[in-house]
Amino acid sequence: MRIFLTIIILILTIHSTSAQNKRALIVGISTYNPRGVNSNTVWNNIHGTNDTELIKRTLRQQGFTINSLKESKATAYNIRKAFAKLMKETKKGDVIYIHFSGHGQAVEDMNGDEQDGWDEAIIPVDAAAVYSPKSYRGENHILDDELYGYFKTLRSKIGSNGMLYATIDACHSGSSYRGEDVEDTIYVRGTDNGFSFTGKRYTPRIDKRGHIVVGKAKGMSDVCIIEACRSYEVNTEIKENGIYYGPLSFYINKVLSSTTLSSDISWTGKVRTLMDKDKRLIKQHIVIESTK
């Protein structure tokens, strides 16, 4: 009997230490000139928080523990702090989901690691759109280089039996304009102007790949990064039942409402198909970067 109980305890201990946790960091911004945020921003307002409410509800139903930052809370400091917390808490075998809905911008590459001379950045609520040596030097832009560092650390902590997802419902080129009727309003996430330290004019690189293979070192998790459009395209919000959403967020939520997140990324193909069929999105194409 004693041996039997010991075996049972051992089995339960192994199960508890290898239990898979589901963690999410979700960031959404609609108002880019909120009270209490000292920012020289010129970003137009969008509807990023509509996306995050959809995603949060669906992920909670799947058992995710969620850290959410929205509106004035989605500062560069708070986003970086949230990543630090996530990296500290992540364990082997976890499934991690990171989501950003807001503006994006190309930033002049200053370390020479980009072929086209431009990094890509997500835009926190306190990041300005234009470089100024006196008031804003880009310290609140979160570059792809920085995100890569976070993702690399997370993948190492997750290990080979877990999974990292990152979805970015933004774009790095575009404009915003209003039609003659309020129903024709078009909201675009991004700007035609790159953030330049030297006055360099932004010229996007034309890369039409819909899938990009990401390397996987031994002991690291698989990763799947989903972006709303190619770097030179415009990410346009869509209107559903009178509410504006980022198209990537809307269709991801539609698919995940009936699909459980795991290391199987086949569900992303359904998102691509739905977006391809939407005539409103004829000028944009999602990009998937993954190890599979």
Side-chain angles (χ1 to χ4, degrees):
M1 177 63 72
R2 182 176 297 174
I3 295 175
F4 176 74
L5 290 175
T6 301
I7 293 173
I8 293 297
I9 292 171
L10 181 61
I11 292 173
L12 291 174
T13 301
I14 293 173
H15 176 74
S16 63
T17 57
S18 62
Q20 186 180 66
N21 294 301
K22 298 179 178 181
R23 311 177 195 274
L25 171 58
I26 300 179
V27 181
I29 305 169
S30 295
T31 306
Y32 268 86
N33 189 26
R35 293 181 179 180
V37 174
N38 183 19
S39 173
N40 186 27
T41 180
V42 294
W43 301 105
N44 60 294
N45 292 333
I46 48 175
H47 301 89
T49 55
N50 291 348
D51 301 353
T52 57
E53 292 307 307
L54 278 181
I55 299 295
K56 281 196 299 183
R57 183 166 58 246
T58 297
L59 292 185
R60 282 199 183 101
Q61 292 172 352
Q62 295 197 23
F64 276 80
T65 299
I66 299 173
N67 183 9
S68 176
L69 296 172
K70 65 180 183 179
E71 298 294 55
S72 62
K73 299 295 184 182
T75 62
Y77 174 82
N78 285 341
I79 293 172
R80 288 168 174 146
K81 184 178 178 181
F83 268 111
K85 181 175 185 290
L86 180 61
M87 291 185 292
K88 182 179 180 180
E89 294 176 345
T90 295
K91 307 295 182 184
K92 295 291 184 184
D94 285 357
V95 175
I96 306 296
Y97 189 98
I98 297 165
H99 182 92
F100 177 80
S101 282
H103 281 298
Q105 188 177 28
V107 177
E108 185 178 1
D109 173 33
M110 301 303 288
N111 63 7
D113 67 336
E114 299 288 346
Q115 291 183 356
D116 63 350
W118 295 92
D119 285 300
E120 296 178 345
I122 59 172
I123 305 301
V125 72
D126 55 347
V130 179
Y131 172 78
S132 170
K134 294 183 178 180
S135 60
Y136 184 71
R137 300 185 178 188
E139 59 273 12
N140 293 335
H141 278 60
I142 298 181
L143 301 182
D144 50 7
D145 294 346
E146 183 175 351
L147 291 174
Y148 171 78
Y150 296 146
F151 295 166
K152 184 177 180 180
T153 298
L154 286 168
R155 292 177 65 194
S156 294
K157 295 203 69 175
I158 293 168
S160 56
N161 294 324
M163 184 67 194
L164 172 63
Y165 286 99
T167 56
I168 302 176
D169 208 339
C171 72
H172 302 98
S173 63
S175 58
S176 180
Y177 66 89
R178 181 178 295 274
E180 294 180 357
D181 187 86
V182 70
E183 292 299 317
D184 296 326
T185 302
I186 296 177
Y187 295 93
V188 172
R189 300 182 178 186
T191 174
D192 285 324
N193 299 313
F195 188 91
S196 175
F197 305 93
T198 65
K200 181 179 179 180
R201 182 178 177 82
Y202 172 55
T203 303
R205 180 166 60 97
I206 305 301
D207 186 345
K208 295 185 177 182
R209 289 178 295 173
H211 179 241
I212 299 171
V213 178
V214 177
K216 180 182 178 181
K218 184 178 180 180
M220 295 181 73
S221 75
D222 284 306
V223 63
C224 182
I225 303 169
I226 313 171
E227 299 156 358
C229 63
R230 298 168 184 164
S231 62
Y232 59 91
E233 293 178 334
V234 168
N235 181 26
T236 306
E237 293 185 351
I238 58 176
K239 194 174 185 180
E240 295 288 335
N241 298 319
I243 301 174
Y244 285 99
Y245 298 103
L248 180 63
S249 301
F250 179 80
Y251 284 117
I252 281 178
N253 184 73
K254 190 177 185 69
V255 173
L256 291 185
S257 295
S258 58
T259 304
T260 301
L261 273 174
S262 66
S263 58
D264 180 2
I265 69 169
S266 61
W267 63 271
T268 62
K270 298 178 183 178
V271 176
R272 186 191 297 277
T273 297
L274 289 170
M275 290 185 68
D276 286 346
K277 288 181 177 180
D278 191 325
K279 295 180 180 180
R280 296 169 295 184
L281 306 176
I282 192 170
K283 294 183 178 181
Q284 73 181 84
H285 305 82
I286 73 169
V287 177
I288 298 174
E289 301 182 47
S290 72
T291 46
K292 298 180 178 181

